[in-house]
Amino acid sequence: MGDGGSGRNNAHELYKLKQRAVEYYRTNNVPQQLEDLLNSTFYLQPPDVYGHLANCFSKLAKPPTIYKVIGRIVLDGMGHQTLRVEIFCTVQNQVKSITSAVISSHLGVLETVMPEVVDQVELERNEAISVAVQWVNESMTELLEGLEPTQQEMADQLLANFFANKVQEDKESKELELSLEQPLFEGSVAPQSSPPSPPLPPKKKGQRGRKEVTPEKPIPPAEPPEPILHGSMAIGAVSLAVAKTCATLTNTPLYSKIASLKYKQESPRTLSLPLLMVTMLSCGKSSSGKLNLMKEVICIPHPGLTVQQGVTMLLEIQKQIIKIIDKPHTPKPETKKGHNGKKGSIQIVGKLSYIGCLSINYDTIEQPLLLLQGICGNLGLELGINLYLAINCAAHELIDYTRGKYEVTTGVFKNPSEMVDIYVDLINKFPSITALIDPVRKEDIEQWGSICNALGSRCNIIAGTASKSVPKLLEEQNVNIPKSSGLIIKHTNQTTISNLIEVTNLIESQKRIAILGSTEGESSDDSLADLAVGLGVRFLKLGGLSRGERMTKYNRLFTIEEELVQSGTLTPTAGQTFIDFSEEDQKAAEAFVTSLSSVSTGRAESDVTRFSIKSEAIK
């Protein structure tokens, strides 16, 4: 009797379990899906039946979601600490590591400062990165868990809100510290002001006065650097990692993913490659020669060349430079004083710079340009036809604030107005120079305007260090302070992928050139090449053709070019274009006059209307 009752109970439990299973599969539409899959598989009869079924089932699976985010400290190409972010996703009920992204620090490499300053910057960098790792490991998983990597804009908004809260916390913390310190100062004795300087003695009668010298206009003081919150690079790194995760899971190139976000469509029909700005020589303050002005002498291959052809051409030029440096030196004999002979020739000495180019010793502005001109002539190339030049002047590194002048070469100082004359003369002598980067400090607003008006129709005047950060540009919505042809933007700190898209749209809307640049301390992450193509920037500035962290990006460009050619989606790169600032200013003035006249007309019409109303009222 007992056994029979137990059997009936087991049968009843089994029946209930079967009913639950039927309901579970019915709710998830499994029977219908299985029937459809089995029927289609029978008609298709694929060689790998289970592989075919696995592919079909994977399409029916729930989309992957972010499971956790991990931050780690790694080393960049210079051996400095930087941040690496790895994203894990739940894919078909399994947790998998999908991809990682490395972002470089905003802090540059300091070659011309005192060792104690370098140590201080290194400590600041390490502290900033430690905070960034802490943000990622303590907060990012909770922030993004369950989010689909395809939701880039939502991820970036969550990151932006997180960062805004951190900024507010930092502000409140500083205000609290200040309030705690305030009583200490209230009880202290106020410092006594220094006595006024005695008046100058009056000039005696008959005494001849010295010739008065008109003092030069003082230069504007340096603007304080934009505040950067420690840990901010966690925002940019996580945003990039989310984009890379989406590209990996959807089996889509990262550049295509970025382009689809920028142009608001599934897959852009065509894409173009940016023009390369390849640093060939460095003759700045860190080099051993007297020349300070040319931190980077940059070569830009002709737009008609492929990326591979352009890089191959520049590698040949680089080989020729190395041959000249390695050539045994035989100094010419010195001539006696009073003879017209020249001094013995100086041997060119070169070393590899941290930006992947040769740093050589030169004493005058013309020497490095003549070197390239001669090498191109020997190779059957012509500057201005086969390739163009650009100069990164890095004026902010040349200024001597005690004198209020730029030290162009060792011991030779020029005021901001004289710098304009130098550049006009340089472009007249070397018309193949099609871009000047940071010709003066960002504070010398008047000189930026003068250079643009004098050279803008022949040469691009680019703001690099003189440009504001991406968040600041988006806040102000104005890319033309200082006045320039274009800006170099960088993916650092709290800049998200959505920010990069927004700022390139802003630059394009204001008829300026967008240039994506690498940082001085670069990592081996090659995403910068994909970002440049996806964002559609005009130029990509990666540094020289040496050092692995830079060559990975050139190699990635080769792959992207090959993929776009094979898919038939590569658009030819446009040629060099320049802005006629005088014409632009004239159009702006005409538009202003038109707006004033329309306002005046509106007022007149309004007066007529009011008069007619009064007249009717009088009647």
Side-chain angles (χ1 to χ4, degrees), residues 201-502:
K203 188 167 62 174
K204 294 180 181 179
K205 190 175 181 181
Q207 183 181 2
R208 293 184 62 185
R210 294 183 180 179
K211 185 179 179 181
E212 293 186 2
V213 179
T214 305
E216 291 188 358
K217 186 178 179 181
I219 64 169
E223 294 180 10
E226 291 183 29
I228 296 172
L229 186 63
H230 283 179
S232 60
M233 59 193 305
I235 306 302
V238 172
S239 178
L240 176 60
V242 171
K244 292 181 72 173
T245 299
C246 177
T248 301
L249 291 171
T250 57
N251 197 27
T252 305
L254 179 58
Y255 62 83
S256 183
K257 164 67 178 172
I258 301 298
S260 66
L261 290 169
K262 178 178 171 70
Y263 300 109
K264 306 292 184 183
Q265 56 189 31
E266 282 296 320
S267 181
R269 294 180 181 178
T270 58
L271 290 170
S272 59
L273 294 171
L275 289 173
L276 292 181
M277 300 184 98
V278 181
T279 307
M280 192 60 60
L281 297 171
S282 177
C283 307
K285 292 197 77 172
S286 61
S287 62
S288 56
K290 293 181 180 179
L291 180 59
N292 297 332
L293 182 64
M294 298 187 179
K295 181 174 182 177
E296 294 177 79
V297 181
I298 299 166
C299 290
I300 306 170
H302 188 276
L305 299 174
T306 66
V307 173
Q308 189 125 17
Q309 287 172 337
V311 170
T312 302
M313 176 181 67
L314 296 181
L315 282 171
E316 187 57 41
I317 294 174
Q318 183 173 276
K319 288 179 186 175
Q320 297 301 317
I321 297 173
I322 293 171
K323 285 182 180 178
I324 292 173
I325 293 173
D326 292 341
K327 189 177 180 181
H329 177 57
T330 52
K332 295 178 181 178
E334 295 280 352
T335 56
K336 291 182 180 180
K337 189 175 179 180
H339 289 202
N340 293 327
K342 295 182 179 180
K343 289 186 177 181
S345 60
I346 301 172
Q347 183 179 10
I348 301 174
V349 179
K351 64 177 181 178
L352 185 62
S353 169
Y354 61 89
I355 54 175
C357 69
L358 289 166
S359 178
I360 62 177
N361 59 319
Y362 271 130
D363 297 336
T364 68
I365 296 173
E366 294 82 8
Q367 284 175 325
L369 303 176
L370 291 172
L371 171 70
L372 288 174
Q373 189 172 288
I375 289 173
C376 288
N378 293 336
L379 294 174
L381 304 172
E382 188 172 346
L383 290 175
I385 296 179
N386 302 105
L387 73 157
Y388 308 94
L389 297 178
I391 307 296
N392 180 8
C393 309
H396 59 284
E397 296 183 4
L398 311 180
I399 193 70
D400 184 332
Y401 283 99
T402 59
R403 298 172 183 263
K405 293 184 177 184
Y406 295 95
E407 190 174 14
V408 179
T409 57
T410 304
V412 177
F413 297 88
K414 300 291 183 181
N415 63 38
S417 297
E418 291 171 327
M419 294 295 287
V420 178
D421 298 332
I422 286 176
Y423 295 126
V424 171
D425 184 55
L426 185 66
I427 301 302
N428 287 336
K429 289 180 180 177
F430 299 93
S432 57
I433 298 175
T434 59
L436 294 174
I437 302 172
D438 290 337
V440 287
R441 299 177 310 142
K442 61 183 174 182
E443 295 84 1
D444 295 327
I445 300 296
E446 182 182 339
Q447 282 69 38
W448 278 94
S450 299
I451 295 171
C452 286
N453 293 335
L455 298 172
S457 60
R458 294 188 286 161
C459 177
N460 287 314
I461 313 301
I462 306 298
T465 303
S467 172
K468 295 180 174 64
S469 66
V470 171
K472 198 71 174 175
L473 290 170
L474 293 176
E475 179 187 335
E476 297 180 357
Q477 291 291 301
N478 185 2
V479 302
N480 206 27
I481 298 176
K483 188 175 184 179
S484 64
S485 308
L487 297 84
I488 297 177
I489 56 175
K490 296 181 180 181
H491 183 222
T492 56
N493 303 322
Q494 70 268 30
T495 301
T496 63
I497 297 299
S498 297
N499 292 151
L500 288 174
I501 291 170
E502 190 178 349

